[in-house]
Amino acid sequence: MSRKLKEQIIEKVLAFCALVTILTTIGIVLILLVEAVGFFQEVSIVDFLTGTEWTPLFADKSYGILPLISGTLLTTFIAIAVALPIGLTIAVYLNEYAPRKLQKVVKPLLEVLAVVPTVVYGFFALMIVTPFLKIFIPDLSGFNALSPGIVMGIMIIPFVSSLSEDALDAVPDSLRQASYGMGSTKFQTAFRVLVPAASSGIVVSVILAISRAIGETMIVAIAAGQNPQFTFDPTVPIETITAYIVQVSSGDVPQGTIAYKTIFAAGITLFVLTFILNNISYWIKSRYQEKYE
Amino acid sequence: MESDSQSSNPKTTQVETKPKLNSKHQSYKLQAQNVDVFYEDFQAINNISLGIVENSITAFIGPSGCGKSTFLRLFNRMNDYIDGFSMNGNILMDGKDIYDESVNVEELRKIVGMVFQKPNPFPKSIYENVAYGLRIQGIKDEEYIENRVIESLKQSTLYSEVEDNLDKMALSLSGGQQQRLCIARALAVKPTVLLMDEPTSALDPISSGKIEDLIHELKEDYTIVIVTHNMQQAGRVSDNTAFLYMGNLVEYGDTQKIFTNPEKDRTQNYITGRFG
Amino acid sequence: MNRAQKNRLKDKVFKGLGITATFLGIVILAIFIGFILYQGMERISWEFVMSLPSRFAEQSGIYTAWMGTVWVLVCTTLISFPLGVGAGIYLEEYGKKNWWNTFLEINISNLAGVPSVIYGLLGLGVFVRMMKMGNSILAGSLTLSLLILPVIIVSTREALRAVPSTIKEASVAMGASKWQTIWHQILPASFGGILTGVILALSRAVGETAPLIVVGALVYVPFAPTSPLDEFTVLPVQIFNWVTRPQQEFVINAAAGIIVLLGITFVMNGIAVYLRNKWQSKMNW
């Protein structure tokens, strides 16, 4: 075989590997669409998007997604409320205050938080955090949004901290020196100069963290309950979109039934939510990279 | 100066000195004919024509950014993969256009070797570095490879320093040794032309001296083109010198003459260090 | 207190806050793991590792679960490694700056952000139903391979990018073709980095639960799998199953299972970090 032909074949094979990623996207969209279309032939899309009752597995069926969305947003909000302040504080501390040596030790240690499987975090939430929180909130239900939300927040700390730190690191040193030159303390430099200058990168990190929290499944499936309720009370059992998909999948729902199709309707809702967030972050990122190059 | 039929070109206004053919060698090994080079919209080379004499050393000099490296890389088509690169005109080797569609770039590069500014040995053993060119040609005869490796290392005057540990990683050598290894690597595949892109700029004076001596010896068998920003080096090693400025060929001819009695004021100014 | 003093105080307070925040997560995780060890260690025994699952917690073991995990790990490696590295090489070395490659890149970064449970739905629709693989190891491995593909691609590209362009130039100038340069120079020089990325991605696959539940990794499998087309369960799914049971004995089983799962995850990550350090110290140009 001639060298040239061989080279061409290799390039084609490699191009195919890259093409698999496109096929994956097409596959996801098609599968979700096809099943969801089947679902929406039986359930009106308006009822789906505005209904506050989600009981597809009961005798008296309702298909309003709002309870799952409220559950998802509630746990996500709690997670971000934990991860953002802690993650950002870590980022500023590591970037401005910590000695290089400490940075080198701490960064991989923080990554460990992201390495632990989520099913393990679910166990923590259910078995440790909820009983612990009950000491302070006696009314807290055994399944609730608060505990998995907090645990999820701990899990995504490294997302926020490492992406935010990258953003802070990308701020030109001249800005930093200008601030010090005017007699600013580290604290003033960090929060009046660096954080604003790195704001777009920090926003990206937060959006990605939100997207991650929305898609997180096992922690909420284990510790938040299986009670779709349209509520923002963090102490009662709720259900998220992801947990619902797992709930149906672990049971034996026959293909073709409307209950089977609900997981794809829920899936497409989840996909659209995260897709929008990911693209916003991609868009901000590509704009802000231009700024410093 | 001997007259020559191929060089002068009505379009090239800035080239006035004629490339010199000395009596022993009667042909041009390499030739550029009305060459323009563009990177996107930026013109890096502006209508240069010149001929390079076989088995001689030709130096390209000029301030940084003048296009001398770009010009050198035309002769083994190393610019081909740069985004936005385009060119007009012809580059001939032994009278044949190397940018012709029928030319296999890989084959071309096997006979036009190159040595780079910074020594860039592969992260492999000394032996495998030199053997690389032979191996990618599909040569399996281990005895032949070994002979070529030793011969090339001897030619590049490195052999005596490394003969006992050819299995040592190339990156453990000193900078000067690494550069001589890179020269050996280029020589192993028996090229006829050797392009050198500021080969001593990253080296200390002693290592540079060794490389210069080596270049002198190699002239017997190879046509050498060397880019340098070191004026003294150009004066010491080269037979002919081309002075480039902002993509234009200002002056080209016998090194002795360029350095002692240049025709252009700009050449004079550059050589005496008034700018650059 | 004057302004300057106030500012200095703020500075000090924040420094304390920073140290606290930095170690907060790690300390909490350490407490969690301590709790798990305390609960589950008593259950860890040869018998636990080699027993089939059972209705009775004390007789229940993780044999089928870890066998399933090993099978899935091997199959996922065989599928995702060549695909991911191939795609990474294509994008980094062959990709030109045009709309198609920009599109590929945006698509990959998007895929990296798709929740894992969605990949489960993809696997359920395509592999389990359409291709009729059923709830098999193969279907699960294909699903996980697609899930970790973006991670492998991104880390492969980073490793390739770390190879100095001078090496590529030297090889090309010797008359090497593009693929010869990649095969003989770029891949050997970046292999440590690529391997690190692949192992990290695989360690993520080992811990994945949701997509496998969706593709039907059965919670009760009485036999260890013997071929890629067998039904299966994996450690995280087994743990999930135990966690959701009300009896305390099963919770202890879950804790013991978690110890094993964490052990596997940490060992894989440790290997990856070790490889990365070794590779970085070897490859400093």
Side-chain angles (χ1 to χ4, degrees), chain B residues 204-239:
Chain B
D204 61 273
I206 293 173
S207 304
S208 298
K210 280 188 185 162
I211 304 253
E212 279 181 24
D213 294 343
L214 171 59
I215 294 172
H216 246 299
E217 282 169 35
L218 293 175
K219 177 182 151 184
E220 294 300 314
D221 303 310
Y222 305 92
T223 306
I224 295 174
V225 188
I226 178 170
V227 161
T228 178
H229 59 237
N230 179 332
M231 229 48 56
Q232 285 82 0
Q233 184 172 63
R236 280 193 302 267
V237 301
S238 72
D239 302 314

Side-chain angles (χ1 to χ4, degrees), chain B residues 66-261:
Chain B
C66 71
K68 54 192 193 296
S69 278
T70 297
F71 192 50
L72 182 77
R73 284 161 171 259
L74 289 174
F75 294 102
N76 65 345
R77 296 184 54 173
M78 282 297 276
N79 293 326
D80 286 20
Y81 296 119
I82 295 173
D83 281 334
F85 164 80
S86 65
M87 70 174 284
N88 302 320
N90 300 312
I91 301 280
L92 307 185
M93 179 170 175
D94 299 323
K96 274 194 283 185
D97 188 350
I98 62 170
Y99 282 84
D100 190 83
E101 267 184 39
S102 65
V103 172
N104 180 326
V105 187
E106 279 94 39
E107 295 301 325
L108 170 75
R109 291 186 186 137
K110 282 167 193 165
I111 48 176
V112 183
M114 187 162 200
V115 177
F116 295 83
Q117 194 166 1
K118 202 171 150 267
N120 54 356
F122 301 126
K124 296 175 181 245
S125 69
I126 295 170
Y127 184 94
E128 284 305 321
N129 260 279
V130 186
Y132 181 68
L134 302 166
R135 293 206 192 282
I136 57 170
Q137 288 184 20
I139 295 169
K140 298 272 193 292
D141 184 350
E142 208 52 48
E143 204 181 306
Y144 173 78
I145 292 176
E146 190 174 342
N147 285 335
R148 281 305 301 152
V149 169
I150 292 172
E151 212 174 303
S152 308
L153 284 171
K154 279 181 179 159
Q155 247 183 318
S156 72
T157 69
L158 186 63
Y159 189 64
S160 58
E161 294 159 56
V162 299
E163 60 181 323
D164 296 328
N165 34 22
L166 291 176
D167 292 333
K168 219 167 76 167
M169 285 296 282
L171 292 165
S172 63
L173 296 173
S174 73
Q177 287 175 321
Q178 284 187 12
Q179 195 61 304
R180 278 181 288 149
L181 177 68
C182 291
I183 294 173
R185 181 175 68 189
L187 296 179
V189 292
K190 298 187 176 168
T192 57
V193 176
L194 210 49
L195 307 176
M196 303 183 132
D197 191 355
E198 305 198 20
T200 62
S201 64
L203 305 180
D204 61 273
I206 293 173
S207 304
S208 298
K210 280 188 185 162
I211 304 253
E212 279 181 24
D213 294 343
L214 171 59
I215 294 172
H216 246 299
E217 282 169 35
L218 293 175
K219 177 182 151 184
E220 294 300 314
D221 303 310
Y222 305 92
T223 306
I224 295 174
V225 188
I226 178 170
V227 161
T228 178
H229 59 237
N230 179 332
M231 229 48 56
Q232 285 82 0
Q233 184 172 63
R236 280 193 302 267
V237 301
S238 72
D239 302 314
N240 293 304
T241 297
F243 172 54
L244 278 72
Y245 181 70
M246 290 176 71
N248 294 304
L249 181 60
V250 178
E251 193 163 350
Y252 178 41
D254 184 75
T255 300
Q256 225 51 38
K257 181 165 178 300
I258 295 251
F259 275 81
T260 52
N261 186 20

